[in-house]
């Protein structure tokens, strides 16, 4: 079954000028696009919220801790911006002719792809501005102006994360995806991946940034995100098992190759390994990790989750 790109566009096909006979929308580039966009938005949501709360109590913090946090925050904004650029690049590459994507903005229409493209582009602009303001110490954007940018970026981050699920769930021709549980699953998966990005950057930061290390609170937040992801993964699988129209997708999901990828990759690496690592950190009051394997595993699992969902839908 093929789901062409113009399914998400108006019937006159003017938005991208893409014909029905072109390549299937849901290839590896789109999977990467959805994963990178969600992970970047998750990292921005975590970082913006953390920055707002951190500086709300700035007066109580030693200068060395503030300097350390600023280093970590700068790296987070810059990294998330780069991930968003790669995400957009994957979408443009998948379209075949990047110039056609300009029609999404020159001739906007009320479609899932158009709305998502606007939200993702605005999120990239906000992330770029925050990277300039922090990583490159761009003084024109500072103080209250940066706080406003962070509030706006946090809001648009939620929009991007939700869009990564709506992008699939809005496709009513794929019964496996036609459920709100997929939107919730992708939301918390993106949040978990974003948390993993932040914690990886914290681990690899120079020593002066480790004074801002809040590994235990971040571990607790990550645990909560993983717990919600597990709940909605179960709800999504329940939808797959109880929806008669999704029987072909379910059969593919239960095939040996996809089932192994789902259990070992999406469930094992994406949820169980990072959850166990965070519980260990909380239980034994660890200040850091010898090897940040669980964060890498979480990112790989997040990608494989999207791979399994999309491959089983487009059977």
């Amino acid at each position: 079954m093929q789901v062409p790109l113009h399914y998400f566009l108006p019937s006159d096909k003017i938005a991208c000028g893409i014909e029905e006979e072109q390549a299937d929308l849901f290839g590896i580039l789109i999977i990467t696009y959805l994963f990178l966009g969600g992970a970047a938005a998750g990292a921005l949501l975590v970082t913006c919220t953390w920055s707002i709360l951190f500086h709300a109590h700035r007066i109580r913090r030693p200068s060395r801790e503030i300097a350390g946090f600023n280093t970590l925050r700068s790296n987070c904004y810059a990294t998330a911006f780069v991930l968003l650029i790669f995400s957009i690049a994957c979408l443009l590459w998948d379209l075949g002719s990047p110039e056609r994507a300009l029609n999404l903005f020159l001739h906007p229409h009320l479609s899932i792809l158009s709305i998502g493209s606007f939200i993702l582009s605005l999120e990239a602009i906000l992330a770029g501005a925050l990277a300039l303001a922090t990583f490159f110490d761009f003084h024109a954007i500072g103080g209250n102006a940066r706080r406003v940018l962070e509030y706006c970026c946090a809001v648009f981050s939620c929009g991007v994360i939700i869009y990564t699920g709506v992008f699939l769930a809005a496709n009513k021709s794929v019964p496996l995806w036609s459920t709100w549980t997929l939107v919730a699953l992708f939301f918390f998966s993106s949040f978990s991946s974003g948390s993993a990005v932040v914690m990886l950057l914290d681990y690899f930061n120079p020593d002066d940034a480790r004074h801002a290390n809040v590994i235990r609170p971040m571990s607790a937040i990550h645990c909560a995100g993983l717990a919600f992801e597990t709940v909605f993964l179960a709800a999504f699988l329940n939808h797959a098992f109880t929806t008669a129209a999704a029987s072909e997708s379910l059969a593919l999901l239960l095939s040996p190759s996809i089932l192994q990828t789902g259990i070992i990759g999406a469930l094992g690496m994406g949820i169980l390994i990072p959850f166990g690592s965070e519980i260990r950190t909380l239980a034994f009051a660890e200040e850091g990790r010898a090897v940040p394997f669980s964060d890498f595993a979480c990112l790989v699992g997040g990608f494989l989750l999207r791979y399994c969902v999309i491959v089983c839908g487009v059977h």
Side-chain angles (χ1 to χ4, degrees), residues 69-88:
F69 172 78
N70 289 342
T71 301
L72 177 59
R73 180 186 59 184
S74 299
N75 292 339
C76 288
Y77 286 147
T79 301
F81 174 70
V82 172
L83 291 178
L84 283 174
I85 295 302
F86 275 109
S87 175
I88 294 172

Side-chain angles (χ1 to χ4, degrees), residues 22-296:
Q22 284 192 294
D24 183 13
L25 170 61
F26 300 105
I28 192 66
L29 287 173
I30 289 299
I31 297 173
T32 305
Y33 157 66
L34 293 175
F35 169 69
L36 291 179
L44 286 169
L45 176 60
V46 170
T47 305
C48 288
T49 304
W50 187 8
S51 179
I52 292 168
L53 295 175
F54 183 90
H55 286 283
H57 304 284
R58 182 188 182 100
I59 194 172
R60 304 176 186 175
R61 303 182 185 276
S63 58
R64 193 174 184 183
E65 182 179 353
I66 294 174
F69 172 78
N70 289 342
T71 301
L72 177 59
R73 180 186 59 184
S74 299
N75 292 339
C76 288
Y77 286 147
T79 301
F81 174 70
V82 172
L83 291 178
L84 283 174
I85 295 302
F86 275 109
S87 175
I88 294 172
C90 287
L91 175 62
L92 297 181
W93 190 1
D94 185 77
L95 289 176
S97 297
E99 63 271 14
R100 291 176 177 172
L102 291 177
N103 287 324
L104 289 170
F105 303 96
L106 298 177
H107 305 284
H109 290 261
L110 190 61
S111 66
I112 298 297
L113 186 62
S114 295
I115 294 173
S117 298
F118 272 100
I119 294 175
L120 188 64
S121 299
L122 288 172
E123 176 78 337
I125 292 172
L126 290 169
L130 287 169
L132 282 174
T134 56
F135 192 82
F136 296 104
D137 198 21
F138 194 62
H139 295 291
I141 307 174
N144 292 333
R146 187 164 62 227
R147 295 285 86 74
V148 171
L149 281 177
E150 287 177 333
Y151 277 109
C152 292
C153 190
V155 172
F156 275 94
S157 295
C158 291
V160 170
I161 295 174
I162 292 171
Y163 162 69
T164 61
V166 172
F167 183 78
L168 300 183
N171 191 336
K172 301 301 182 183
S173 67
V174 182
L176 179 67
W177 299 343
S178 187
T179 169
W180 66 271
T181 60
L182 179 60
V183 179
L185 173 60
F186 274 23
F187 182 94
F188 286 104
S189 175
S190 295
F191 180 83
S192 297
S193 296
S195 299
V197 169
V198 172
M199 297 174 84
L200 275 173
L201 291 172
D202 176 69
Y203 179 86
F204 289 109
N205 260 327
D207 289 339
D208 65 334
R210 292 188 180 276
H211 294 282
N213 192 323
V214 288
I215 199 69
R216 284 177 58 75
M218 277 300 300
S219 292
I221 292 171
H222 197 191
C223 271
L226 290 166
F228 279 110
E229 183 180 352
T230 304
V231 169
F232 288 111
L233 175 59
F236 175 73
L237 290 175
N238 179 68
H239 162 78
F241 276 93
T242 58
T243 302
S247 58
E248 292 184 18
S249 295
L250 180 61
L252 183 57
L253 177 62
L254 296 177
S255 64
S257 60
I258 299 298
L259 186 61
Q260 289 176 10
T261 302
I263 293 176
I264 298 174
L267 179 61
M269 299 181 70
I271 297 178
L272 297 181
I273 290 177
F275 189 81
S277 177
E278 304 301 6
I279 291 295
R280 182 175 181 273
T281 298
L282 293 170
F284 294 97
E286 295 182 1
E287 295 182 358
R289 301 171 184 182
V291 179
F293 170 75
S294 65
D295 297 321
F296 284 113

